[in-house]
Amino acid sequence: MLRDQGVKKETGLSWVEEGNKVHTFAAGDRGHARSKEIYEKLEELGEEMEKAGYVADTSFVLRAVGGEEKQQTIRYHSERIAIAFALIVFPHNDRPLRIMKNLRVCGDCHTAIKFMSKCSGRVIIVRDNNRFHRFEDGKCSCGDYW
C-alpha cells in the first residue's frame, strides 16, 4: 500500500568526519575512493569477530532474500562501512572513533559493533537518531537498551 502511494523509506546513512571532510556511506556502498581498503578491513574484522563468537542475526534483514544473501546484506550496513573506514584513517590511538547515523542502529549491528570494539581494542561512539552509544571492550553504554 505504501509503495503504491509513492511513500519511500529514508536511506540509511552513516558518516565520519576526517579533518574538514565528511565521508558518507550507505549500505553496500562501494563508491568511496578507498572502497577496496574498506571492504578488506571489513572482511578482516569479520573473521576476528567470528573467532570471538559473533554470529549474524539475519532476522533484522527486512527484504525477502535467501540465507547467504541475508548475511551479505547485513554485513555491509552503513555503520559497519563507516567504522571500517575510521579504523583505516585513524590508526590505533587513544582517540575514540565517532560515527553518526541518521537512522536507528539495527539489533545485529549493535551486537556487531560490540564485537568490533572488543576485537579492535577501540572505543567506538555511534550517534544514531535515538541516542549515543559508547562501545568499549565489547560492551555498550546503553546496556543493550536502545
Side-chain angles (χ1 to χ4, degrees):
M1 181 179 93
L2 291 175
R3 183 178 49 242
D4 293 341
Q5 292 177 0
V7 176
K8 294 187 178 191
K9 269 179 57 174
E10 184 177 359
T11 301
L13 299 173
S14 296
W15 57 95
V16 179
E17 291 182 22
E18 178 195 20
N20 292 330
K21 186 164 184 183
V22 177
H23 299 268
T24 305
F25 303 94
D29 193 346
R30 291 186 181 266
H32 194 276
R34 298 181 77 174
S35 188
K36 186 174 187 292
E37 287 177 85
I38 292 168
Y39 278 83
E40 286 171 0
K41 179 56 101 175
L42 277 173
E43 293 304 316
E44 173 190 316
L45 199 51
E47 289 173 15
E48 290 177 40
M49 290 164 52
E50 286 175 10
K51 286 178 189 171
Y54 169 73
V55 177
D57 182 353
T58 57
S59 68
F60 291 96
V61 177
L62 301 177
R63 297 187 342 215
V65 293
E68 180 60 33
E69 191 175 348
K70 279 186 177 190
Q71 291 233 345
Q72 292 300 316
T73 299
I74 210 159
R75 178 178 284 170
Y76 302 124
H77 277 178
S78 66
E79 55 270 45
R80 296 187 195 206
I81 296 170
I83 290 168
F85 173 76
L87 286 167
I88 293 166
V89 297
F90 303 117
H92 195 35
N93 59 32
D94 294 333
R95 178 178 182 231
L97 303 177
R98 298 182 192 282
I99 312 299
M100 302 294 285
K101 181 162 177 66
N102 67 330
L103 302 176
R104 188 171 175 232
V105 174
C106 82
D108 181 69
C109 286
H110 191 269
T111 300
I113 298 168
K114 290 193 296 185
F115 276 93
M116 290 175 165
S117 72
K118 187 170 186 70
C119 292
S120 68
R122 300 294 296 271
V123 173
I124 302 170
I125 298 172
V126 178
R127 172 64 172 140
D128 67 11
N129 72 345
N130 199 32
R131 68 173 22 117
F132 280 94
H133 299 267
R134 186 179 195 277
F135 298 91
E136 184 172 12
D137 196 32
K139 296 178 184 76
C140 181
S141 61
C142 77
D144 294 337
Y145 177 77
W146 79 107

